[in-house]
Amino acid sequence: MHEGSCLCGSVKYVIRGDLRAAAFCHCARCRKANGSVFAANATVDEAAFELASGKDLLKSFSTPEGVHRLFCSTCGSPIFSKRDSMPGVLRLRLGTLDSPLVSARPSAHIFVASKADWYEICDSLPQFAERPAG
C-alpha cells in the first residue's frame, strides 16, 4: 500500500496495489506541467487508486489528444494524469508519495529526444528517444 498527498495536504490518496512501470519523462508537456526538467511517473491501476480526501479540490487540464492532468486547485501540485487511449491506467507523480518507494523506482528516461537542451542525463539508466514499445 502507498499513501500520498499534495503540497498543502488537502488532497490525499491511497494506492491499494503495486506501482508499475516508472520512468523519468522528458517530454515538453511533462516539463511544463511539473515546472521541472522532467517528471518522475509510475503507472497505477485506476481501480487501486483511492482519493482519501480532497476530491472536490482536484481540477483537470485536458489536451485535445485526450490527456487529462489532475492537480490540487489549492496548491497546484500535480497528482496524476490519465489518457483516454489507456482506460484504467493512471500516471502517478512520484513526488507526491508520502510512503517510502521501495519498488517501482524509475528504470529509464523516456522522450529524451525532446529533453531540455540545458540538462545532461548523468546516470546509467536506459534512454529512449520516445516511449519504448511494450
Side-chain angles (χ1 to χ4, degrees):
M1 184 171 91
H2 301 277
E3 296 178 323
S5 61
C6 64
L7 178 62
C8 70
S10 297
V11 175
K12 295 183 180 179
Y13 63 83
V14 175
I15 300 170
R16 299 184 193 291
D18 293 328
L19 301 178
R20 299 188 324 218
F24 296 118
C25 184
H26 294 266
C27 78
R29 286 188 175 163
C30 277
R31 289 197 321 269
K32 295 229 179 240
N34 289 282
S36 187
V37 71
F38 54 77
N41 304 321
T43 56
V44 176
D45 287 325
E46 189 169 11
F49 183 89
E50 175 189 332
L51 280 169
S53 65
K55 181 177 183 176
D56 58 323
L57 295 173
L58 277 184
K59 298 296 181 200
S60 177
F61 171 76
S62 299
T63 68
E65 299 81 16
V67 177
H68 313 280
R69 296 176 182 277
L70 285 88
F71 57 93
C72 173
S73 62
T74 301
C75 66
S77 293
I79 307 296
F80 65 87
S81 66
K82 57 185 179 176
R83 298 174 173 270
D84 292 344
S85 63
M86 299 179 73
V89 177
L90 304 179
R91 281 187 166 63
L92 180 72
R93 302 305 179 249
L94 291 175
T96 65
L97 284 171
D98 295 325
S99 52
L101 183 61
V102 293
S103 64
R105 291 180 181 268
S107 60
H109 293 270
I110 61 174
F111 291 100
V112 297
S114 60
K115 77 172 188 61
D117 61 357
W118 48 267
Y119 179 73
E120 182 180 347
I121 298 171
C122 296
D123 60 40
S124 60
L125 295 176
Q127 298 180 29
F128 299 92
E130 302 288 327
R131 183 187 325 274

